[in-house]
Amino acid sequence: MFTNSYRSPSQISRLCLPRLGLLQRRWAQVHDVRFLVTHHQTDKFTEKYRERLHQKAKQEGLQSVDELKALYKARDHGQKKPATTDAANIQQWTAPFSIPPPPCSPELRRKLQSPARTQPSTPPGLKTLSSYLDLSKTLALPPKEIENIWRLRHASSATSLCATIPSSTYTQIQQTARKYPQFILPLPREGSSGAEIHFLQWSFPAPDTVTVVFTYLAEYKLRGEFSQPHTTVTMHLELMQEKGLVLMQGQVAEGRGVTVCEAQRLVLCLQKFYSGEEAATSKRRLLEKFNQGDRGFTVEELWEEAEKIMV
Protein backbone atom coordinates (compact mmCIF):
# COMPACT_ATOMS: atom_id res chain seq x y z
CA MET A 1 0.00 0.00 0.00
CA PHE A 2 1.24 3.49 -0.82
CA THR A 3 2.40 5.59 2.09
CA ASN A 4 2.33 9.35 2.36
CA SER A 5 6.18 9.55 2.70
CA TYR A 6 7.97 11.54 0.02
CA ARG A 7 10.19 9.68 -2.49
CA SER A 8 12.92 11.29 -4.54
CA PRO A 9 13.19 10.74 -8.34
CA SER A 10 16.22 8.43 -7.86
CA GLN A 11 14.28 6.20 -5.53
CA ILE A 12 11.43 5.96 -8.03
CA SER A 13 13.86 5.00 -10.85
CA ARG A 14 15.21 2.06 -8.86
CA LEU A 15 11.76 0.55 -8.61
CA CYS A 16 10.69 -2.02 -11.14
CA LEU A 17 7.89 -0.64 -13.24
CA PRO A 18 6.04 -3.98 -13.83
CA ARG A 19 6.23 -4.72 -10.14
CA LEU A 20 4.94 -1.20 -9.42
CA GLY A 21 1.97 -1.76 -11.68
CA LEU A 22 1.25 -5.10 -9.99
CA LEU A 23 1.24 -3.51 -6.58
CA GLN A 24 -1.07 -0.81 -7.80
CA ARG A 25 -3.59 -3.27 -9.16
CA ARG A 26 -3.50 -5.43 -6.05
CA TRP A 27 -3.41 -2.93 -3.20
CA ALA A 28 -4.49 0.51 -4.52
CA GLN A 29 -7.87 1.72 -3.17
CA VAL A 30 -9.80 4.89 -3.95
CA HIS A 31 -11.46 6.67 -1.05
CA ASP A 32 -13.81 9.69 -1.04
CA VAL A 33 -11.76 12.05 1.07
CA ARG A 34 -14.69 14.41 1.52
CA PHE A 35 -16.77 11.61 2.98
CA LEU A 36 -14.06 10.59 5.38
CA VAL A 37 -13.45 14.09 6.63
CA THR A 38 -17.17 14.88 6.97
CA HIS A 39 -17.91 11.61 8.72
CA HIS A 40 -15.08 12.22 11.13
CA GLN A 41 -16.22 15.76 11.90
CA THR A 42 -19.82 14.61 12.37
CA ASP A 43 -18.74 12.05 14.95
CA LYS A 44 -16.81 14.70 16.84
CA PHE A 45 -19.83 17.06 16.76
CA THR A 46 -22.15 14.31 18.02
CA GLU A 47 -19.84 13.36 20.91
CA LYS A 48 -19.32 16.99 21.92
CA TYR A 49 -22.99 17.96 21.97
CA ARG A 50 -24.52 14.57 22.77
CA GLU A 51 -26.09 15.80 26.01
CA ARG A 52 -27.73 18.77 24.31
CA LEU A 53 -28.91 16.60 21.45
CA HIS A 54 -30.54 14.18 23.90
CA GLN A 55 -32.36 17.11 25.53
CA LYS A 56 -33.52 18.38 22.14
CA ALA A 57 -34.73 14.89 21.20
CA LYS A 58 -36.78 14.69 24.38
CA GLN A 59 -38.32 18.10 23.62
CA GLU A 60 -39.34 16.81 20.20
CA GLY A 61 -40.83 13.67 21.79
CA LEU A 62 -38.14 11.35 20.37
CA GLN A 63 -36.25 8.48 21.98
CA SER A 64 -32.73 8.92 20.56
CA VAL A 65 -30.35 11.25 18.78
CA ASP A 66 -30.64 9.14 15.62
CA GLU A 67 -34.36 9.78 15.50
CA LEU A 68 -33.67 13.51 15.91
CA LYS A 69 -31.21 13.41 12.99
CA ALA A 70 -33.75 11.60 10.85
CA LEU A 71 -36.41 14.17 11.73
CA TYR A 72 -34.27 17.17 10.73
CA LYS A 73 -33.08 15.38 7.61
CA ALA A 74 -36.71 14.86 6.58
CA ARG A 75 -37.47 18.52 7.27
CA ASP A 76 -34.51 19.62 5.14
CA HIS A 77 -35.69 17.50 2.25
CA GLY A 78 -39.23 18.78 2.62
CA GLN A 79 -38.16 22.45 2.50
CA LYS A 80 -36.07 22.14 -0.64
CA LYS A 81 -37.43 24.08 -3.60
CA PRO A 82 -37.89 22.31 -6.94
CA ALA A 83 -35.01 22.53 -9.33
CA THR A 84 -37.17 23.64 -12.23
CA THR A 85 -37.24 27.38 -12.94
CA ASP A 86 -40.32 27.67 -15.09
CA ALA A 87 -42.72 30.54 -14.41
CA ALA A 88 -45.39 28.35 -12.78
CA ASN A 89 -42.99 26.95 -10.18
CA ILE A 90 -41.51 30.37 -9.44
CA GLN A 91 -44.97 31.81 -8.87
CA GLN A 92 -45.86 28.87 -6.62
CA TRP A 93 -42.92 29.44 -4.30
CA THR A 94 -43.06 33.23 -4.27
CA ALA A 95 -46.83 33.61 -3.73
CA PRO A 96 -47.62 35.01 -0.26
CA PHE A 97 -49.22 32.73 2.27
CA SER A 98 -52.75 33.80 3.18
CA ILE A 99 -54.78 32.72 6.20
CA PRO A 100 -58.45 32.04 5.41
CA PRO A 101 -60.81 34.40 7.28
CA PRO A 102 -62.88 32.99 10.12
CA PRO A 103 -66.53 32.27 9.38
CA CYS A 104 -68.92 35.11 10.22
CA SER A 105 -72.48 35.00 11.44
CA PRO A 106 -75.41 35.75 9.09
CA GLU A 107 -76.13 38.99 10.97
CA LEU A 108 -72.55 40.20 10.55
CA ARG A 109 -72.61 39.21 6.87
CA ARG A 110 -75.73 41.33 6.31
CA LYS A 111 -74.08 44.32 7.95
CA LEU A 112 -70.97 43.94 5.81
CA GLN A 113 -72.97 43.60 2.61
CA SER A 114 -75.30 46.52 3.34
CA PRO A 115 -74.10 49.98 2.12
CA ALA A 116 -72.36 52.00 4.80
CA ARG A 117 -74.17 55.05 6.07
CA THR A 118 -72.00 58.12 6.26
CA GLN A 119 -72.57 60.03 9.46
CA PRO A 120 -72.06 63.79 9.33
CA SER A 121 -68.91 64.61 11.22
CA THR A 122 -68.33 67.79 13.20
CA PRO A 123 -64.80 69.25 13.04
CA PRO A 124 -63.00 69.31 16.40
CA GLY A 125 -63.43 72.57 18.30
CA LEU A 126 -66.64 73.56 16.47
CA LYS A 127 -69.56 74.26 18.82
CA THR A 128 -72.97 73.18 17.65
CA LEU A 129 -76.30 74.31 19.06
CA SER A 130 -76.30 71.45 21.55
CA SER A 131 -73.34 73.14 23.24
CA TYR A 132 -75.66 76.00 24.28
CA LEU A 133 -79.17 74.50 24.53
CA ASP A 134 -80.87 71.22 25.35
CA LEU A 135 -82.30 70.47 21.90
CA SER A 136 -84.91 67.96 23.07
CA LYS A 137 -86.41 70.51 25.48
CA THR A 138 -85.99 73.44 23.09
CA LEU A 139 -87.96 71.70 20.35
CA ALA A 140 -90.95 71.53 22.66
CA LEU A 141 -91.08 75.35 23.06
CA PRO A 142 -92.79 77.92 20.80
CA PRO A 143 -90.51 80.07 18.54
CA LYS A 144 -91.08 83.27 20.53
CA GLU A 145 -89.96 81.66 23.77
CA ILE A 146 -86.91 80.18 22.04
CA GLU A 147 -85.91 83.67 20.87
CA ASN A 148 -86.15 85.02 24.44
CA ILE A 149 -84.13 82.14 25.89
CA TRP A 150 -81.47 82.58 23.21
CA ARG A 151 -81.05 86.28 23.96
CA LEU A 152 -80.92 85.68 27.71
CA ARG A 153 -78.34 82.95 27.14
CA HIS A 154 -75.85 85.52 25.76
CA ALA A 155 -76.90 88.63 27.69
CA SER A 156 -74.25 88.15 30.37
CA SER A 157 -71.28 88.33 27.97
CA ALA A 158 -70.03 91.82 27.13
CA THR A 159 -68.26 90.66 23.95
CA SER A 160 -70.96 88.44 22.44
CA LEU A 161 -73.36 88.96 19.56
CA CYS A 162 -76.80 87.37 19.43
CA ALA A 163 -79.73 87.34 16.99
CA THR A 164 -82.47 85.17 15.51
CA ILE A 165 -83.09 84.99 11.75
CA PRO A 166 -86.31 83.78 10.07
CA SER A 167 -85.69 80.70 7.97
CA SER A 168 -86.98 82.39 4.80
CA THR A 169 -84.48 85.24 5.19
CA TYR A 170 -81.63 82.89 6.00
CA THR A 171 -82.35 80.74 2.92
CA GLN A 172 -81.77 83.79 0.70
CA ILE A 173 -78.60 84.67 2.61
CA GLN A 174 -77.16 81.18 2.33
CA GLN A 175 -77.85 80.87 -1.40
CA THR A 176 -76.03 84.14 -2.00
CA ALA A 177 -73.18 83.20 0.37
CA ARG A 178 -72.45 79.96 -1.47
CA LYS A 179 -72.12 81.88 -4.73
CA TYR A 180 -70.14 84.77 -3.24
CA PRO A 181 -68.27 83.50 -0.16
CA GLN A 182 -65.98 86.55 0.14
CA PHE A 183 -66.60 90.28 0.33
CA ILE A 184 -65.41 93.51 1.92
CA LEU A 185 -67.39 96.01 3.99
CA PRO A 186 -66.51 99.55 5.06
CA LEU A 187 -66.83 100.60 8.69
CA PRO A 188 -66.88 104.37 9.39
CA ARG A 189 -64.93 105.65 12.39
CA GLU A 190 -66.51 108.15 14.74
CA GLY A 191 -64.92 111.59 14.51
CA SER A 192 -63.35 110.76 11.16
CA SER A 193 -64.49 111.21 7.58
CA GLY A 194 -62.77 107.99 6.48
CA ALA A 195 -63.56 104.33 6.98
CA GLU A 196 -61.73 101.08 7.60
CA ILE A 197 -62.26 98.20 5.19
CA HIS A 198 -62.97 94.76 6.63
CA PHE A 199 -62.74 91.43 4.83
CA LEU A 200 -65.38 88.72 5.47
CA GLN A 201 -65.39 85.06 4.51
CA TRP A 202 -68.11 82.40 4.74
CA SER A 203 -67.49 78.73 5.53
CA PHE A 204 -69.73 75.70 5.92
CA PRO A 205 -67.88 73.32 8.28
CA ALA A 206 -70.90 71.16 9.20
CA PRO A 207 -74.39 70.48 7.80
CA ASP A 208 -76.09 72.49 10.57
CA THR A 209 -73.38 75.07 11.24
CA VAL A 210 -72.26 78.06 9.16
CA THR A 211 -69.58 80.57 10.14
CA VAL A 212 -68.49 84.04 9.01
CA VAL A 213 -65.20 85.61 10.05
CA PHE A 214 -64.31 89.31 9.84
CA THR A 215 -60.72 90.48 9.48
CA TYR A 216 -59.04 93.80 8.77
CA LEU A 217 -58.46 93.90 5.02
CA ALA A 218 -54.94 95.30 5.51
CA GLU A 219 -54.04 92.35 7.77
CA TYR A 220 -55.56 89.84 5.36
CA LYS A 221 -53.51 91.28 2.48
CA LEU A 222 -50.37 90.94 4.62
CA ARG A 223 -50.88 87.54 6.25
CA GLY A 224 -53.53 85.82 4.12
CA GLU A 225 -55.08 82.76 5.74
CA PHE A 226 -52.86 83.24 8.80
CA SER A 227 -54.56 86.51 9.72
CA GLN A 228 -56.53 86.55 12.98
CA PRO A 229 -60.25 87.48 12.77
CA HIS A 230 -61.52 90.12 15.15
CA THR A 231 -65.14 88.89 14.96
CA THR A 232 -66.54 85.41 14.44
CA VAL A 233 -70.23 84.77 13.76
CA THR A 234 -71.84 81.31 13.83
CA MET A 235 -75.31 80.40 12.57
CA HIS A 236 -77.03 77.27 13.89
CA LEU A 237 -79.56 75.58 11.62
CA GLU A 238 -80.83 72.76 13.87
CA LEU A 239 -84.22 74.46 14.44
CA MET A 240 -84.66 75.77 10.92
CA GLN A 241 -87.03 73.07 9.66
CA GLU A 242 -89.24 72.54 12.71
CA LYS A 243 -89.31 76.03 14.24
CA GLY A 244 -88.51 78.25 11.24
CA LEU A 245 -85.62 79.89 13.13
CA VAL A 246 -81.87 80.19 12.68
CA LEU A 247 -80.03 81.10 15.87
CA MET A 248 -76.98 83.31 15.45
CA GLN A 249 -74.25 83.99 17.98
CA GLY A 250 -70.92 85.73 17.64
CA GLN A 251 -67.83 86.71 19.56
CA VAL A 252 -65.75 89.88 19.33
CA ALA A 253 -62.08 89.45 20.19
CA GLU A 254 -60.80 91.78 22.88
CA GLY A 255 -57.92 94.10 22.10
CA ARG A 256 -58.38 93.95 18.33
CA GLY A 257 -59.70 97.52 17.95
CA VAL A 258 -63.33 96.63 17.16
CA THR A 259 -66.17 97.23 19.63
CA VAL A 260 -69.33 95.15 19.94
CA CYS A 261 -71.36 98.04 18.48
CA GLU A 262 -69.09 98.22 15.43
CA ALA A 263 -69.29 94.46 14.97
CA GLN A 264 -73.08 94.70 15.03
CA ARG A 265 -72.91 97.24 12.20
CA LEU A 266 -70.82 94.85 10.14
CA VAL A 267 -73.30 92.01 10.71
CA LEU A 268 -76.23 94.28 9.76
CA CYS A 269 -74.44 95.36 6.59
CA LEU A 270 -73.68 91.72 5.75
CA GLN A 271 -77.36 90.82 6.10
CA LYS A 272 -78.47 93.64 3.77
CA PHE A 273 -75.95 92.78 1.07
CA TYR A 274 -76.63 89.01 1.12
CA SER A 275 -80.40 88.94 1.58
CA GLY A 276 -81.39 90.94 -1.51
CA GLU A 277 -84.21 89.18 -3.33
CA GLU A 278 -83.47 90.68 -6.73
CA ALA A 279 -80.26 89.68 -8.47
CA ALA A 280 -80.17 92.94 -10.39
CA THR A 281 -79.82 95.17 -7.31
CA SER A 282 -76.73 97.35 -6.93
CA LYS A 283 -75.65 95.39 -3.83
CA ARG A 284 -75.80 92.09 -5.72
CA ARG A 285 -73.79 93.56 -8.60
CA LEU A 286 -71.07 94.61 -6.15
CA LEU A 287 -70.92 91.06 -4.78
CA GLU A 288 -70.58 89.66 -8.28
CA LYS A 289 -67.89 92.11 -9.33
CA PHE A 290 -65.79 91.51 -6.21
CA ASN A 291 -65.90 87.70 -6.38
CA GLN A 292 -65.29 87.65 -10.14
CA GLY A 293 -62.32 90.02 -9.87
CA ASP A 294 -64.04 92.61 -12.06
CA ARG A 295 -61.97 95.79 -12.37
CA GLY A 296 -65.18 97.75 -12.44
CA PHE A 297 -65.56 97.20 -8.68
CA THR A 298 -64.84 100.43 -6.75
CA VAL A 299 -64.68 101.16 -3.03
CA GLU A 300 -66.51 104.45 -3.64
CA GLU A 301 -69.58 102.65 -4.95
CA LEU A 302 -69.36 100.19 -2.04
CA TRP A 303 -69.21 103.08 0.43
CA GLU A 304 -72.32 104.69 -1.08
CA GLU A 305 -74.32 101.49 -0.65
CA ALA A 306 -73.06 100.93 2.89
CA GLU A 307 -74.01 104.48 3.94
CA LYS A 308 -77.61 103.79 2.94
CA ILE A 309 -77.69 100.87 5.39
CA MET A 310 -75.93 102.50 8.33
CA VAL A 311 -77.81 105.85 8.28
Side-chain angles (χ1 to χ4, degrees):
M1 181 176 180
F2 288 114
T3 64
N4 293 328
S5 60
Y6 173 74
R7 295 180 183 273
S8 65
S10 60
Q11 291 175 326
I12 295 176
S13 62
R14 290 197 296 268
L15 295 174
C16 179
L17 293 179
R19 184 182 177 185
L20 178 61
L22 178 62
L23 290 176
Q24 288 176 339
R25 287 194 300 270
R26 183 177 179 181
W27 299 104
Q29 297 182 10
V30 179
H31 296 280
D32 191 341
V33 179
R34 293 172 297 174
F35 171 76
L36 293 176
V37 173
T38 304
H39 180 70
H40 184 65
Q41 290 180 352
T42 304
D43 292 341
K44 285 186 176 181
F45 177 84
T46 305
E47 292 298 330
K48 184 176 180 180
Y49 296 100
R50 181 172 295 277
E51 185 64 27
R52 295 185 182 180
L53 291 173
H54 277 295
Q55 294 178 359
K56 184 64 177 177
K58 291 180 179 180
Q59 294 177 1
E60 296 286 347
L62 304 176
Q63 299 296 328
S64 64
V65 176
D66 293 335
E67 293 182 3
L68 181 65
K69 292 180 181 179
L71 175 63
Y72 278 96
K73 186 176 181 181
R75 290 182 180 178
D76 291 340
H77 284 292
Q79 292 178 354
K80 288 183 179 180
K81 297 181 181 180
T84 56
T85 58
D86 56 278
N89 288 329
I90 293 176
Q91 183 178 3
Q92 176 185 358
W93 286 96
T94 57
F97 178 77
S98 60
I99 302 176
C104 59
S105 62
E107 181 180 359
L108 179 58
R109 187 179 295 108
R110 286 194 300 268
K111 291 181 179 180
L112 294 175
Q113 293 176 353
S114 61
R117 297 181 180 179
T118 57
Q119 298 293 335
S121 58
T122 302
L126 181 67
K127 288 187 176 182
T128 59
L129 187 58
S130 59
S131 303
Y132 303 96
L133 299 175
D134 187 332
L135 291 181
S136 60
K137 295 180 180 180
T138 304
L139 287 171
L141 301 175
K144 191 64 177 180
E145 190 171 349
I146 294 175
E147 292 181 17
N148 295 333
I149 293 175
W150 185 245
R151 295 181 189 277
L152 289 173
R153 175 67 176 76
H154 297 88
S156 60
S157 177
T159 58
S160 67
L161 303 172
C162 177
T164 58
I165 308 172
S167 59
S168 57
T169 303
Y170 175 78
T171 301
Q172 297 172 4
I173 293 175
Q174 178 173 290
Q175 291 175 354
T176 308
R178 289 189 179 276
K179 292 179 65 177
Y180 313 115
Q182 297 177 344
F183 198 51
I184 58 174
L185 293 173
L187 182 64
R189 287 295 186 179
E190 295 183 2
S192 174
S193 58
E196 287 181 338
I197 306 298
H198 297 261
F199 175 78
L200 69 90
Q201 186 168 11
W202 292 80
S203 63
F204 303 86
D208 293 326
T209 308
V210 179
T211 62
V212 186
V213 293
F214 293 87
T215 312
Y216 289 105
L217 179 61
E219 181 179 354
Y220 184 80
K221 286 182 176 181
L222 181 64
R223 303 182 63 186
E225 60 182 5
F226 298 104
S227 57
Q228 296 295 322
H230 57 71
T231 303
T232 303
V233 175
T234 305
M235 301 177 191
H236 302 281
L237 316 182
E238 287 87 341
L239 305 179
M240 184 175 175
Q241 298 297 329
E242 296 190 29
K243 298 299 178 180
L245 287 177
V246 172
L247 304 184
M248 188 208 80
Q249 58 88 211
Q251 192 69 29
V252 181
E254 296 182 352
R256 296 302 310 278
V258 176
T259 65
V260 174
C261 183
E262 291 171 338
Q264 289 175 344
R265 291 182 182 178
L266 288 173
V267 174
L268 175 62
C269 200
L270 174 144
Q271 179 181 347
K272 295 298 183 181
F273 269 89
Y274 278 85
S275 63
E277 296 182 2
E278 298 181 2
T281 61
S282 55
K283 297 182 182 63
R284 180 63 61 86
R285 287 196 297 269
L286 287 171
L287 285 170
E288 292 176 356
K289 289 180 180 180
F290 180 83
N291 282 268
Q292 293 174 0
D294 192 335
R295 294 186 178 183
F297 177 88
T298 62
V299 177
E300 290 77 11
E301 186 179 358
L302 172 67
W303 175 242
E304 291 178 1
E305 291 295 331
E307 277 187 324
K308 298 175 183 178
I309 300 171
M310 297 180 184
V311 171

